[in-house]
Each structure stands twice: as structure tokens, then as C-alpha cells.
Amino acid sequence: MTEIPPHHRLRARRQIAVSFTAAISMLLCFGLAASAQAPSQSTPRAPQIASTPGSVGLWAADWGGAASQRTAAGWQAAAQNYHLLVGPPGVYKNWIPQLHAWNPKLILLAYNLGPFLQKGSPSFDTTLSQHPDWFAHDAKGNMINLLRFPSNYLMEQSNAAYRAWHSQLLVATVTTYGFDGAMDDSMGAGPLGPYASGVPVNPATKLPYTASEYLNNSVLTINGD
């Protein structure tokens, strides 16, 4: 059997990660939309990392805070129990080489808020000051945030400059820390319902976004990433 060159294997891993990212993002789309339509249902919690070496899972959402308190033994169990982990760059960056050493087939994706920018983050004030049009607005001109996560503000995905910046941010995170790819969270149409403080207006039509228009822009964002 012909040996596949290492750089080709790496490229394949990244392509798989991107494909899986899109799939997970779409799954989260439907979950977020369902949450907006049925607010009485509780938001699903991220699965816990298994601590026993005998259990194997497909993937684990690891951005709920547990990663920051994990022991070395816990990290090793996570690497050996899962095929794919999605976690916060700030925590994962110190463990990526060791995680790959424990499990060379493990795919690590950097968690990203998707079409939201968090107030208090290094990019928020700069973006608001220099590019206010990158933020989504409702019919009254108000910025839009999430009711359950009020620090998360919705961005205007129809804006090509914003999409390019978002893509560059993900690329820098992945290449700097050694992730295999990234995951954009919340790419669904949830902000069009009661999930957000207001309904975003389409700058092209000056009318509230339809679900089709909004999701088309989400696809542009994912494709750019």
C-alpha cells in the first residue's frame, strides 16, 4: 500500500474538520431554531467528557467551563475517548500537542461564537468604533443581543468585510495554536425569533430578514471560513 505523505494527511484532516464543522453547525442551526420556536424547552447541556477509558464517543462539546478545571488524567481520557473535541482556544492551546500525542487521530476544533461578538472581548470595542455597520440592527436601529446571553451581540453576516475578518480570525486561531479546524456556533435562524432582543433588518431590503435570507448569509459565512 502506498504511504500517504504527512502533509497530505494533514490536509485531509483539515478538510474533514471543515466538513464536520459545517455539519455540526447545521445541526446547531436546527437546535437553535427549535429553541427559538419552543422557548419553554431547556437548552441542551454540552455532553460531559467521559472519565472511563472504555467508553468511546463521536464528539464532545467542551466549551461549558469543564475544560478549564480538567486534570491531566482527565485530558488524557478525553483524548482517548473521543474522535473529535470542540473547545475554547484559551484553554485548549496549552494541551493541543499532548492531546495529539495521546491520540494522533483526534480532531480538535476551536470553538467560536459564530455570528456573535462578545461584549468585553478584545475585538468588541474596536469593531464597534471602527465598523458599526458590522453589527446587526433591528427596525429601530438598536443592536441585537441574546436574551439568555446578553453579552453576545449579533453581527451582520451580509457584510462581506465582516465575513472576511471573521474568516481571518478563525484561520489565525487554528494556525497559531495547532487546531485541526474551527466550529462556528449558532449559525441558525434563532435570532429571528424570541431568542434575541430584536429581529435583524436586512440592509438590502430595509425589512426584517426572512429565514431564507438570513440562512443564505449564514452559508456565506461558513463557506468563507
Side-chain angles (χ1 to χ4, degrees), residues 132-139 141-142 144 154-160 162-163 192 199-210 213-214 217 220:
D133 56 323
W134 288 9
F135 288 85
H137 296 82
D138 62 19
N142 298 316
I144 299 168
L154 183 65
M155 308 304 289
E156 181 50 64
Q157 296 183 90
S158 69
N159 189 300
Y162 160 71
R163 295 197 308 269
L192 303 186
V199 178
V201 168
N202 185 340
T205 65
K206 310 302 182 185
L207 297 172
Y209 269 107
T210 66
E213 291 170 343
Y214 188 86
N217 288 334
L220 292 176

Side-chain angles (χ1 to χ4, degrees), residues 5-89:
H7 65 281
H8 285 178
R9 291 199 299 268
L10 177 59
R11 185 181 303 124
R13 281 169 59 86
R14 292 190 183 279
Q15 289 173 343
I16 291 171
V18 169
S19 299
F20 204 96
T21 300
I24 294 299
S25 295
M26 292 310 296
L27 287 174
L28 291 172
C29 287
F30 293 117
L32 183 55
S35 175
Q37 294 170 3
S40 61
Q41 298 178 357
S42 59
T43 302
R45 292 181 178 274
Q48 296 296 313
I49 298 295
S51 58
T52 56
S55 62
V56 177
L58 175 62
W59 77 291
D62 198 24
W63 58 84
S68 62
Q69 303 175 11
R70 185 167 298 130
T71 64
W75 279 108
Q76 184 173 5
Q80 295 172 341
N81 292 345
Y82 288 89
H83 300 302
L84 184 150
L85 294 173
V86 184

